[in-house]
Amino acid sequence: MAASIIFDFDGTLAIGHGPVLAYADEAAAFAGTDFRSRVDAALADFDRGDRTYRDGYDVVGSLAAADGVDEGTLSGAYQRSRLKLGTAAAPVETIEDLAGFLAALAPHAELILATNAPEHGLHQVLDSWGVRERFDAVHVNVGKPLGLVDIARRARARGPVLAIGDIVEFDLAPAWAMGADTVLVGATAFDSAAPVTMRGSSLAEMRDGILSWAQSRSASDSSASSSAPLPSPTTESRLS
């Protein structure tokens, strides 16, 4: 049995509004007057606790849709913004020493990245953080929440699972529905009534709890393996 930790990307590993604002800039050409300033104001309200919107991307999409921007145009704006990911036009931040954190987790759990984002720019950002090779699997265009079900189910079949994300409905609910533990991070962590295992304002705040989870599941696996009965002489003779 092997434990698995499933990380979300935007809002979890990737923090800051840089990519969201790049999306807003691409959508602004099709939206109404003062669109960018309205996005800025709504993002500031979200950071202060306004839960009108799910996250920053929902801020941009909802305000643009209210201005009459159709779904296809919004999708194109989002895709173009992802081409800028990690550049000065869409800066991305992460927690301090992410590479060290993932390295500490690696002996105890399989590390999985599952994101709704496209592949554009993602690997370059992971490379710039020095963590691309730290993940055992990277899934893009997942289509959460439904798309997370199979990923979580396969991981759950191997052993304990911890899902980490900033949006309960997308990143966590499909995992806890099959008995996984969960960590909610970000602006909604302390407002949400969701029955998560752990919660904190950022991934950095939760790193000790996540490492403790991984270590305890790894120790349990080792204990279970050491207590398993040895093969009988009859079985050994058949295998020899």
mmCIF file of all heavy atoms in Angstrom, residues 78-85 117-125 140-141:
data_model
loop_
_atom_site.group_PDB
_atom_site.id
_atom_site.type_symbol
_atom_site.label_atom_id
_atom_site.label_comp_id
_atom_site.label_asym_id
_atom_site.label_seq_id
_atom_site.Cartn_x
_atom_site.Cartn_y
_atom_site.Cartn_z
ATOM 1 N N TYR A 78 -8.740 32.985 -21.895
ATOM 2 C CA TYR A 78 -8.046 32.194 -20.875
ATOM 3 C C TYR A 78 -6.858 31.449 -21.476
ATOM 4 O O TYR A 78 -5.756 31.463 -20.918
ATOM 5 C CB TYR A 78 -9.019 31.203 -20.234
ATOM 6 C CG TYR A 78 -8.355 30.234 -19.294
ATOM 7 C CD1 TYR A 78 -7.890 30.657 -18.044
ATOM 8 C CD2 TYR A 78 -8.158 28.908 -19.654
ATOM 9 C CE1 TYR A 78 -7.263 29.772 -17.184
ATOM 10 C CE2 TYR A 78 -7.539 28.016 -18.795
ATOM 11 C CZ TYR A 78 -7.092 28.460 -17.555
ATOM 12 O OH TYR A 78 -6.459 27.584 -16.710
ATOM 13 N N GLN A 79 -7.063 30.818 -22.624
ATOM 14 C CA GLN A 79 -5.978 30.067 -23.257
ATOM 15 C C GLN A 79 -4.810 30.987 -23.610
ATOM 16 O O GLN A 79 -3.642 30.620 -23.424
ATOM 17 C CB GLN A 79 -6.496 29.351 -24.512
ATOM 18 C CG GLN A 79 -7.518 28.255 -24.250
ATOM 19 C CD GLN A 79 -6.942 27.070 -23.514
ATOM 20 O OE1 GLN A 79 -5.740 26.801 -23.570
ATOM 21 N NE2 GLN A 79 -7.807 26.334 -22.826
ATOM 22 N N ARG A 80 -5.098 32.174 -24.103
ATOM 23 C CA ARG A 80 -4.020 33.113 -24.433
ATOM 24 C C ARG A 80 -3.286 33.556 -23.169
ATOM 25 O O ARG A 80 -2.059 33.720 -23.172
ATOM 26 C CB ARG A 80 -4.581 34.333 -25.177
ATOM 27 C CG ARG A 80 -5.039 34.036 -26.592
ATOM 28 C CD ARG A 80 -5.327 35.301 -27.377
ATOM 29 N NE ARG A 80 -6.394 36.104 -26.793
ATOM 30 C CZ ARG A 80 -7.691 35.895 -26.992
ATOM 31 N NH1 ARG A 80 -8.081 34.900 -27.770
ATOM 32 N NH2 ARG A 80 -8.595 36.676 -26.432
ATOM 33 N N SER A 81 -4.028 33.729 -22.090
ATOM 34 C CA SER A 81 -3.383 34.147 -20.846
ATOM 35 C C SER A 81 -2.438 33.070 -20.322
ATOM 36 O O SER A 81 -1.408 33.387 -19.725
ATOM 37 C CB SER A 81 -4.437 34.493 -19.790
ATOM 38 O OG SER A 81 -5.042 33.331 -19.231
ATOM 39 N N ARG A 82 -2.768 31.809 -20.564
ATOM 40 C CA ARG A 82 -1.905 30.728 -20.063
ATOM 41 C C ARG A 82 -0.602 30.640 -20.841
ATOM 42 O O ARG A 82 0.400 30.120 -20.324
ATOM 43 C CB ARG A 82 -2.642 29.388 -20.127
ATOM 44 C CG ARG A 82 -3.879 29.303 -19.290
ATOM 45 C CD ARG A 82 -3.697 29.714 -17.849
ATOM 46 N NE ARG A 82 -2.999 28.736 -17.039
ATOM 47 C CZ ARG A 82 -2.986 28.707 -15.712
ATOM 48 N NH1 ARG A 82 -3.649 29.636 -15.042
ATOM 49 N NH2 ARG A 82 -2.324 27.789 -15.046
ATOM 50 N N LEU A 83 -0.589 31.149 -22.055
ATOM 51 C CA LEU A 83 0.658 31.188 -22.806
ATOM 52 C C LEU A 83 1.664 32.135 -22.160
ATOM 53 O O LEU A 83 2.869 32.023 -22.385
ATOM 54 C CB LEU A 83 0.395 31.627 -24.251
ATOM 55 C CG LEU A 83 -0.421 30.667 -25.116
ATOM 56 C CD1 LEU A 83 -0.738 31.308 -26.459
ATOM 57 C CD2 LEU A 83 0.316 29.345 -25.318
ATOM 58 N N LYS A 84 1.168 33.061 -21.342
ATOM 59 C CA LYS A 84 2.024 34.039 -20.661
ATOM 60 C C LYS A 84 2.451 33.566 -19.269
ATOM 61 O O LYS A 84 3.175 34.278 -18.577
ATOM 62 C CB LYS A 84 1.280 35.366 -20.515
ATOM 63 C CG LYS A 84 0.808 35.981 -21.827
ATOM 64 C CD LYS A 84 -0.024 37.224 -21.551
ATOM 65 C CE LYS A 84 -0.552 37.854 -22.821
ATOM 66 N NZ LYS A 84 -1.407 39.036 -22.536
ATOM 67 N N LEU A 85 1.964 32.397 -18.852
ATOM 68 C CA LEU A 85 2.188 31.936 -17.486
ATOM 69 C C LEU A 85 3.671 31.938 -17.125
ATOM 70 O O LEU A 85 4.502 31.379 -17.843
ATOM 71 C CB LEU A 85 1.626 30.526 -17.310
ATOM 72 C CG LEU A 85 1.506 30.019 -15.871
ATOM 73 C CD1 LEU A 85 0.461 30.816 -15.107
ATOM 74 C CD2 LEU A 85 1.159 28.534 -15.857
ATOM 75 N N ALA A 117 -5.969 23.415 -15.421
ATOM 76 C CA ALA A 117 -5.231 24.281 -16.344
ATOM 77 C C ALA A 117 -4.668 23.472 -17.517
ATOM 78 O O ALA A 117 -4.385 22.272 -17.386
ATOM 79 C CB ALA A 117 -4.094 24.975 -15.611
ATOM 80 N N PRO A 118 -4.484 24.120 -18.656
ATOM 81 C CA PRO A 118 -3.835 23.453 -19.787
ATOM 82 C C PRO A 118 -2.332 23.321 -19.540
ATOM 83 O O PRO A 118 -1.792 23.865 -18.576
ATOM 84 C CB PRO A 118 -4.120 24.398 -20.960
ATOM 85 C CG PRO A 118 -4.243 25.741 -20.315
ATOM 86 C CD PRO A 118 -4.880 25.498 -18.977
ATOM 87 N N GLU A 119 -1.683 22.604 -20.415
ATOM 88 C CA GLU A 119 -0.247 22.363 -20.258
ATOM 89 C C GLU A 119 0.584 23.609 -20.548
ATOM 90 O O GLU A 119 1.703 23.733 -20.043
ATOM 91 C CB GLU A 119 0.181 21.223 -21.188
ATOM 92 C CG GLU A 119 1.567 20.703 -20.932
ATOM 93 C CD GLU A 119 1.870 19.440 -21.712
ATOM 94 O OE1 GLU A 119 1.013 19.026 -22.517
ATOM 95 O OE2 GLU A 119 2.960 18.872 -21.539
ATOM 96 N N HIS A 120 0.038 24.545 -21.335
ATOM 97 C CA HIS A 120 0.784 25.747 -21.715
ATOM 98 C C HIS A 120 1.401 26.430 -20.497
ATOM 99 O O HIS A 120 0.703 26.843 -19.592
ATOM 100 C CB HIS A 120 -0.130 26.763 -22.411
ATOM 101 C CG HIS A 120 -0.765 26.277 -23.663
ATOM 102 N ND1 HIS A 120 -0.063 25.655 -24.667
ATOM 103 C CD2 HIS A 120 -2.058 26.324 -24.074
ATOM 104 C CE1 HIS A 120 -0.893 25.344 -25.657
ATOM 105 N NE2 HIS A 120 -2.102 25.728 -25.322
ATOM 106 N N GLY A 121 2.701 26.533 -20.490
ATOM 107 C CA GLY A 121 3.389 27.273 -19.446
ATOM 108 C C GLY A 121 3.576 26.527 -18.139
ATOM 109 O O GLY A 121 4.403 26.927 -17.310
ATOM 110 N N LEU A 122 2.814 25.458 -17.931
ATOM 111 C CA LEU A 122 2.849 24.774 -16.641
ATOM 112 C C LEU A 122 4.213 24.160 -16.360
ATOM 113 O O LEU A 122 4.795 24.351 -15.285
ATOM 114 C CB LEU A 122 1.765 23.700 -16.585
ATOM 115 C CG LEU A 122 1.704 22.893 -15.293
ATOM 116 C CD1 LEU A 122 1.264 23.773 -14.124
ATOM 117 C CD2 LEU A 122 0.749 21.713 -15.445
ATOM 118 N N HIS A 123 4.733 23.409 -17.315
ATOM 119 C CA HIS A 123 6.006 22.733 -17.078
ATOM 120 C C HIS A 123 7.151 23.729 -16.921
ATOM 121 O O HIS A 123 8.076 23.499 -16.139
ATOM 122 C CB HIS A 123 6.298 21.735 -18.202
ATOM 123 C CG HIS A 123 5.373 20.560 -18.208
ATOM 124 N ND1 HIS A 123 5.254 19.721 -17.124
ATOM 125 C CD2 HIS A 123 4.520 20.092 -19.153
ATOM 126 C CE1 HIS A 123 4.369 18.768 -17.400
ATOM 127 N NE2 HIS A 123 3.908 18.981 -18.621
ATOM 128 N N GLN A 124 7.065 24.854 -17.667
ATOM 129 C CA GLN A 124 8.106 25.871 -17.516
ATOM 130 C C GLN A 124 8.105 26.444 -16.100
ATOM 131 O O GLN A 124 9.158 26.702 -15.516
ATOM 132 C CB GLN A 124 7.890 26.997 -18.531
ATOM 133 C CG GLN A 124 8.095 26.572 -19.985
ATOM 134 C CD GLN A 124 6.804 26.119 -20.647
ATOM 135 O OE1 GLN A 124 6.048 25.346 -20.062
ATOM 136 N NE2 GLN A 124 6.563 26.609 -21.851
ATOM 137 N N VAL A 125 6.906 26.655 -15.558
ATOM 138 C CA VAL A 125 6.816 27.167 -14.192
ATOM 139 C C VAL A 125 7.351 26.146 -13.202
ATOM 140 O O VAL A 125 8.131 26.482 -12.295
ATOM 141 C CB VAL A 125 5.363 27.555 -13.851
ATOM 142 C CG1 VAL A 125 5.215 27.843 -12.364
ATOM 143 C CG2 VAL A 125 4.933 28.772 -14.659
ATOM 144 N N VAL A 140 -3.080 17.398 -16.519
ATOM 145 C CA VAL A 140 -3.574 18.714 -16.927
ATOM 146 C C VAL A 140 -4.946 18.551 -17.582
ATOM 147 O O VAL A 140 -5.367 17.446 -17.918
ATOM 148 C CB VAL A 140 -2.590 19.396 -17.900
ATOM 149 C CG1 VAL A 140 -1.237 19.613 -17.241
ATOM 150 C CG2 VAL A 140 -2.425 18.576 -19.175
ATOM 151 N N ASN A 141 -5.658 19.676 -17.741
ATOM 152 C CA ASN A 141 -6.999 19.641 -18.338
ATOM 153 C C ASN A 141 -7.877 18.577 -17.683
ATOM 154 O O ASN A 141 -8.610 17.844 -18.357
ATOM 155 C CB ASN A 141 -6.906 19.376 -19.848
ATOM 156 C CG ASN A 141 -6.209 20.483 -20.604
ATOM 157 O OD1 ASN A 141 -6.559 21.654 -20.457
ATOM 158 N ND2 ASN A 141 -5.216 20.135 -21.408
#
